[in-house]
Amino acid sequence: MQKIGLKDIGFGITVSDRNAEDMLELYQLAKAMNVEFATACVHNSYYFHKWDNKITEKEKVIKCFEELINELLKTNKIKNWFRAYFNYGLINYIKGQPRLLPCGAGTDMFFLDPFGEIRPCNGMDTDSLDNSMGNLKEKSFEEIWYSEKAKMIREKVKNCPKNCWMIGTAAPAIKKHIFKPLVWVVKNKLKVILGKRVCVS
């Protein structure tokens, strides 16, 4: 039987109080199966149809993320080291602190909703047209992207209070502002090499 190679297939977990302690075990399973492993944390938005998601057992959840960060940094994969930084950003989010890196929603990426509205992301607080740059059924992408409305939306993103840390906006920010994540990775990889534990709580 021919073996089919699939790229970027694996497990993902959206972490909450209820499943945080399953995270490391799921990572170990993904590692054993040689597949990808991705994390997220509960967020709220109109797109998720949720407004009451929150982490209440913060210390427990943060400890679980720290365990994962240490395991990721022990590997020889550079991709995992930067995933460790991403998970460090999730700890920062759980603590309610400002994003580690600026959000580029609406500038470095956009969200196209099922109705043709181009929005900066799917995490802003409302699905109203106030957060839409324009609709592809009415105008071309270029007209929308370079419009005055788009400029106004980008200003709103700069002042967005949510401090989300989701892969869709975090990954482009990590690539765009690589120096800060790189310094964190080098510093904490060295700690692991020296047999020290990375602790970010």
Side-chain angles (χ1 to χ4, degrees), residues 105-121:
T107 301
D108 301 325
M109 82 291 297
F110 64 90
F111 173 66
L112 175 62
D113 80 10
F115 306 101
E117 303 291 344
I118 293 181
R119 303 178 184 278
C121 66

Side-chain angles (χ1 to χ4, degrees), residues 12-172:
I13 182 171
T14 299
V15 178
S16 67
D17 292 322
R18 292 180 293 176
N19 66 0
E21 291 174 329
D22 299 328
M23 182 166 39
L24 191 60
E25 188 175 349
L26 187 59
Y27 164 72
Q28 297 292 2
L29 176 61
K31 186 178 176 184
M33 294 176 67
N34 197 30
V35 297
E36 301 292 333
F37 180 71
T39 53
C41 189
V42 289
H43 283 69
N44 292 298
S45 91
Y46 78 93
Y47 188 72
F48 305 133
H49 304 284
K50 287 292 285 182
W51 300 104
D52 58 350
N53 278 326
K54 61 182 178 180
I55 300 289
T56 54
E57 299 177 61
K58 292 186 179 182
E59 287 185 17
K60 180 189 85 171
V61 176
I62 287 170
K63 184 180 176 184
C64 293
F65 272 111
E66 283 184 346
E67 293 287 342
L68 178 63
I69 286 169
N70 279 276
E71 289 301 312
L72 289 167
L73 288 170
K74 285 177 187 175
T75 70
N76 294 322
K77 292 182 179 179
I78 294 174
K79 190 174 183 179
N80 281 346
W81 305 346
F82 283 92
R83 280 181 174 152
Y85 179 82
F86 173 76
N87 284 281
Y88 165 58
L90 287 175
I91 290 176
N92 185 69
Y93 168 75
I94 291 166
K95 290 179 177 180
Q97 296 176 350
R99 281 175 60 108
L100 297 177
L101 300 168
C103 180
T107 301
D108 301 325
M109 82 291 297
F110 64 90
F111 173 66
L112 175 62
D113 80 10
F115 306 101
E117 303 291 344
I118 293 181
R119 303 178 184 278
C121 66
N122 62 353
M124 291 183 82
D125 281 338
T126 176
D127 64 346
S128 73
L129 294 180
D130 290 342
N131 285 334
S132 171
M133 296 178 172
N135 193 296
L136 282 177
K137 292 183 283 187
E138 299 167 1
K139 296 179 181 178
S140 71
F141 177 80
E142 288 74 19
E143 286 178 291
I144 294 169
W145 194 248
Y146 298 106
S147 67
E148 288 302 313
K149 181 76 181 289
K151 289 179 185 176
M152 185 183 76
I153 297 293
R154 290 183 186 111
E155 287 302 312
K156 288 180 75 172
V157 170
K158 288 179 186 177
N159 298 302
C160 179
K162 294 192 71 175
N163 292 315
C164 299
W165 190 256
M166 294 184 280
I167 198 65
T169 55

